[in-house]
Amino acid sequence: MGRPIKTTEEHIKDGTYRKDRHANRGVTLDALEEVSVPDGLSRDAKEKWLEIVPVLQKNGLVTAVDIPTLTDAFIAYGAAQDCLNAVLSNFSSIAEYWAQLNKFKDVDLIAKYNESMDIYKRTMEKYGVTPASRAKIKIQPKQEDEADNFIKALRGNG
């Protein structure tokens, strides 16, 4: 793995800044303070959203441009759960489902489940939801300004 890319500020501080190479490096997006559950998610997907997304949001990992990606991931999660629930409600086990599956006429719900969960897992890895991917994400602590400190002092929490 190569060395991490320096920010424009680091190049200026080190004296290595070149406008032709380092200007407009990266776009800074502000994290969302509040993230609501998107319309159209299944019950299972809403529950999972409320379990994961507020934690990501609290750590500053959710911006406005992340919402469509996260929504698609949770739609895939909901579809996966729907497939699994359909199999388990109609058969006593997955083995029984496999034994009775006519692959030429029926939709393979387990394959659809695996496909949907793969989409969900790959997206969640990008947000550090798995232990292995969490180690790769650097979270900068939220910097408090004077107004935050003043409000905390007024509340007695400072």
Side-chain angles (χ1 to χ4, degrees), residues 33-93:
E33 293 293 324
E34 189 175 324
V35 179
S36 60
V37 179
D39 294 334
L41 294 183
S42 68
R43 182 183 51 80
D44 290 332
K46 284 180 186 176
E47 288 175 7
K48 189 59 80 172
W49 176 282
L50 292 171
E51 182 181 320
I52 293 175
V53 174
V55 175
L56 296 174
Q57 175 265 323
K58 181 181 173 188
N59 287 299
L61 295 174
V62 180
T63 64
V65 298
D66 297 319
I67 298 301
T69 304
L70 288 170
T71 301
D72 288 346
F74 284 93
I75 287 171
Y77 177 83
Q81 295 309 305
D82 290 346
C83 290
L84 186 60
N85 291 336
V87 168
L88 296 177
S89 67
N90 294 311
F91 299 94
S92 61
S93 69

Side-chain angles (χ1 to χ4, degrees), residues 7 33 39 52-53 84 95 107 109 112 125 127 133 155:
T7 64
E33 293 293 324
D39 294 334
I52 293 175
V53 174
L84 186 60
V107 173
L109 293 175
K112 291 292 182 191
E125 284 175 353
Y127 288 92
S133 63
R155 290 183 184 161

